[in-house]
Each structure stands twice: as structure tokens, then as C-alpha cells.
Amino acid sequence: MSPKTLYDKIWDAHLVDQQDDGTCLLYIDRHLVHEVTSPQAFEGLRLSGRKVRAPEKTIAVPDHNVPTTLDRAKGIENEESRIQVEALDRNARDFGVHYYPVSDIRQGIVHIVGPEQGWTLPGMTVVCGDSHTATHGAFGALAHGIGTSEVEHVLATQTLIQKKSKNMKVEITGRLRPGVTAKDITLSVIGATGTAGGTGHVIEYCGQAIRDLSMEGRMTVCNMAIEGGARAGLIAPDETTFAYVKGRPHAPKGAQWEAAVNWWKTLKSDDGAHWDKVVTLKGEDIAPVVTWGTSPEDVLPITGTVPSPSDFKGGKVEAAQRALDYMGLTPGQKLTDIAIDTVFIGSCTNGRIEDLRAAAAILKGRKIKEGLRAMVVPGSGLVRAQAEEEGIAQIFIDAGFDWRLAGCSMCLAMNPDQLGEYERCASTSNRNFEGRQGYKGRTHLVSPAMAAAAAITGHLTDVREMMAETA
Amino acid sequence: MEKFEKITGIAAPMPLVNIDTDMIIPKVFLKTIKRSGLGVNLFDEMRYDRQGNEIPDFVLNKPQYREARILVAGDNFGCGSSREHAPWALADFGIKVIVSTSFADIFFNNCFKNGMLPVILPQDQVDLLMKDAEKGANARMTVDLQAQEITTSDGTVIPFEVDAFKKHCLLNGLDDIGLTLEKATAIDRFETMSAQSRPWV
């Protein structure tokens, strides 16, 4: 048998049918559903008199629209948002899928809830009407976002019509230096390859620096595979993965656990497997990074300066000028001189317990800059509860952060958590697009530790300097 | 799904690279539970000021491009979120074809589910079409899916590639779900087999 990549193996294990032209029907093991991209799909089922084929493999949770303020039990003020969440309540009930309503402590961002509850397992195919489904690739699951028509297709058939993507290997060799995190890895990769660098490919992340990451860190890396244009990101499962999965509510148990682990251990790329594209970065070379522009590829080490449009070529010249105008920045300006007025810690990229711990480690015994708005939005009710138990919540509160309930919040600002016009935010989320966090709002993507450092000083800051102070 | 065979219309130039789905349809418009009516909010933050007045400089607000049916765009069009509201908004405005050097994967797939055709061409040919589009309302292009050709206003013919199955579905307006359900036996068989080999799923 010819050597296969991890992607090849998962693909082959889910192939239902293959047409002569290479169009395939792929079986879907887990379908995650949220309120924004599903109402039209459920409506389509109703209109055609179809059912959900595998409700036991379908998991729904509201996250995009939900308020994160402590008084949210009183309901959603915005009528359209409320209608969307109510539609999910009704659809989940009518079609009999698993459901975590807003009132459930397990509610949270769909990509945090799935792994937390053990729905996401190695070797699975996982889809969701959300581009950050790539997150689940951290488990060695083939996971990607789909549109609403495909949501309806999966609901009705538990399959997806697909053509196979190419294989891309991203290797991070060696070890990360202190102050450098999974977020810095994933942003640095996008900075190196561009937002279209992974288009048409499934990325497998490998190398010592990836192996050394916790599951939380691996999820952060895979989460932003989509920002690099890739269909999905994957990391081969190992003992770290098995330890995370074991004992979760929907993980296999007893004899099935043993059988599962035996299969999961085979889920790695064979020596000599074919790669269509290979990118290698040295872990030692990666610095804490920030974005300066309006595309996730606009990445620079925090020690850098704002670039000039003349540093770029082709269509990127105009895009860079537009980004500088939008962001209100001047070429040559030191990144650490950029003052901010908001800090957001949360999202499916960085809303897990480890992210909160990393930020709290910097914030402990310190206060945020006067006048700054800072909020931390845990990725799920369970992350929030754990942070409270560990005393992390109190560190945030003492530092001056607003301690919120779980949801997508200011990552995409569909709920009331938004930037005002020209407000500038250090954000642990995944997109710095124009208007993403609010009309005319300005976003700098950073790691949780870097966000915490910026909250203290009121400007973008090299977290390593604060670590030296702590030590 | 509506059939797509051939269209002739005005092409609007948008040379900006990395036009993302947040630009195409900002999130405030994702709160709808319908597919229709999004055209008026297409490119909302680029197209209107805060008071809702049109920004005259924006390409689709210019008199010659208000009826555009084709968009010629910069690299990596449709990057960002999976929102199908992006193709819904474009189609509702009247745009059925987008030409670029590359598209984000999910957006690309979403187009085909909505009777729309995204066309990938090399840079020099996109440049040529961009120049043609810049001529304005008198420069009408024809996009012929059956022949896999774009004809510019001066008669230059540019061939393009398209996936055979996707072409077949577009030409015949086929519904994916209906097609897949014809393979229900194969899905049943897979599930039976999978229950044996991966019972934990």
C-alpha cells in the first residue's frame, strides 16, 4: 500500500461513494449547529418534508447572538437575535437533536463545547456552518466549515459532496521561547504563507513545537487554519489527545475506549507520504506577534514597526494603504507605541481555560490602565466555572476586567459587545477584518498573554518585558 | 435551484485583494432567518455612510455599474466566514458570476449551491477582464457555462475551467440533496459497516 497522510486516512475511512469524475460522498460523524447559519436549513427540511437523518450525531448550541452580561436570563433585547435563538430552540426540539440552551451551564461557543463534551474524537469527520470548525482538527479529526445549503444537506443525508483537497505540511521545529504561544505560531504561519496560502489544501501541523502544545494550544493553532485559506487543519492524535478525551461525557468507555485508542494510534501520516506543499518554521524564530492591518496575514513581531505600502507588491499595495487608513496608523510607527482603548479576551480561538490562565498569570497583582475597557468572555459555562474555582476569575475582576458569561461576543460583535467607531482593541479573536468587531472598529490580533500585557499598559506591549518584571 | 446557462451583462471591477465575507455582508444582516432580501445590504459598510446615504465613489453606486451582473475581483475573494449570506446577497443584488485569481474554499462552494458561477483565471486574464470592466456600462461581457467561455466587449474569448459535476448541476439547476438521496442505499451500507468498525461514533 502506498504511504498515506493523516488526511488521506480519515478521508478513506469516510468515503461512501465516488463518482468517475472524482466527486465523492463523505460520511459526517458529527454535525455541530448554531443559531445563525441553521434556520434556513431547518426551514428547507420542513418545506421538503425531510427529517434529520442522524439526530444523535447532531449537536446544537446558541453562541453567536447570546448576550454575555450577567443579567442575560432576562432575555435577548434585540428582536432579530431573539428570534434566531428561539428558532434554534424550536428546531432542536422539533428535530430531536442534542441541545445546550442558553440556560445550561454547558452552553458556550460551539467549537469549545464540542471537544469539552467529548463529541469531537480523533479520526472523525466534523462539520458546522461556521468557518472555525477547523478547531476540531486539533484532535486529528477532519473538520471544516460549510455553508447553510450544506448544513441542510448534512441534516438530511449525514453526508457531504466533496472533492479531495491537496495535502500541505506545516512543520514547526524545535521549541518555543518564553512568552511565545500557540496563537503566535498560528499567526506567524499565516504571516508566512498569506491568507490564500492554504487554499485548496488540508494542512497537517507537525514538529516538536506542535507536539509540545496542550490540546488547548493545538485547538488555537487549528482554529486559524481557515485564516490561512486551508479547508482544514489537522494534528495527529497522541497521548496528549487521549488524555484530554478520556472520561469526557461522550467519549467511548471500557472496551470501546480500548478499541478506539488502538485505531486512533494508527492515525498519523506515513513516512514517505506525498505532500503537495511544505512549509517549515523554526519554533525558536517565532516571536510574540500582533496584526497591524485588516487581514490576518498582516502579522509582525511586537518589536517591529508599521510597514509602508511600498513594502508590498501587486494588489497588496492598495490593500495595505487601505488597511493603514482604516487602522489609523503611520508607516514607521513602533507597534508598541500603538495605544488601545479596549481589550477582549475570549472566542473559539482563545476562550479556553489555558488561555484564561495565561492572561491571569500576567494580570495577577496588577491593574488595567485607567479608562480602558477590558472584558473576558469564557468560551463555555464550564470554562467559566473552572476559572472561578481556580481563582482566575477573581484575578481578572481585581485587575479591572469585566467577567462575562459564555458566547462568541466581541469576536464578531453580533451581540451588544461591540467596538465603537475608531475604537482600538487588542483582541484574542481570529479576524481583524474591517468592521469585524464593530463599525469602523480597529482590531489587533494577539495572544491572551499579550492582550493582558496591553490591558495593563494601555498600548500594544511585548509581554516578555512583563514576564521579566514578574520573575 | 435556478439554472445557470449563459448570461450577458455589465461587469463591475473590484480590484481589491482579500475581499472578505464581512465586507460582502456585515454581521448585522446575518440575524435574518430568511435567504432573501439581502441585496440591498450587499457591501453595506463600503456602500453606505452611517446615515444610510450611498457613498458615490463605491463601484456599485456608480450609475454605470448599478445593474452589474458580473464582478471582476482581486485575489482571494470571499475569504473569512462560512456565511452563505454572502452569495445570497450577491445573487439578490443581481450578480451571478464572480471572476478572480482565487476564491476562499467555502465561499466558492456556496456559490454553486445558489446558481452562481465563480470563475478562476490566471492574473493576466483577470487583468484583461478588469480593464474591460473599467470601461463601464457599454462594455458587456458574456459568460457561457456550456462553452466554458467569457467573451469580452471587444470579442476576445477567454476559456475557463469548471468542475464537471458542478457544471452539470448548474446547467440543470439540480438540487444536491435530491441527488444524494438517490444514494441512500450506499449511506445505509456505510452506517451498518461503521457501526461495526467504529461503534463509539
Side-chain angles (χ1 to χ4, degrees), chain A residues 68 109 183 342-363 368 373-379 392 396 401-405 407-411 417 425-429 437 446-455:
Chain A
T68 59
I109 306 171
K183 183 66 166 287
T342 303
V343 169
F344 170 67
I345 297 177
S347 85
C348 59
T349 313
N350 282 130
R352 283 168 286 268
I353 189 68
E354 191 179 274
D355 302 314
L356 304 194
R357 285 182 193 140
I362 302 296
L363 289 168
I368 64 169
R373 170 168 67 143
M375 71 164 83
V376 52
V377 182
I392 291 170
F396 282 115
F401 268 78
D402 205 359
W403 177 244
R404 295 295 188 97
L405 298 176
C408 296
S409 181
M410 202 190 269
C411 173
D417 307 341
C425 180
S427 176
T428 67
S429 55
Q437 295 193 292
V446 290
S447 74
M450 288 280 283

Side-chain angles (χ1 to χ4, degrees), chain B residues 48-107:
Chain B
Y48 307 104
D49 65 19
R50 215 43 179 152
Q51 285 70 47
N53 305 308
E54 287 188 3
I55 298 168
D57 281 350
F58 182 68
V59 61
L60 297 180
N61 288 334
K62 293 180 181 171
Q64 63 270 40
Y65 295 118
R66 300 182 80 92
E67 305 292 324
R69 307 214 50 205
I70 301 163
L71 201 62
V72 184
D75 190 50
N76 197 29
F77 188 86
C79 59
S81 96
S82 64
R83 61 188 70 163
E84 200 162 318
H85 309 67
W88 292 339
L90 284 159
D92 194 52
F93 180 89
I95 290 170
K96 293 297 175 78
V97 177
I98 304 129
V99 181
S100 179
T101 42
S102 80
F103 291 88
D105 194 44
I106 306 176
F107 176 84

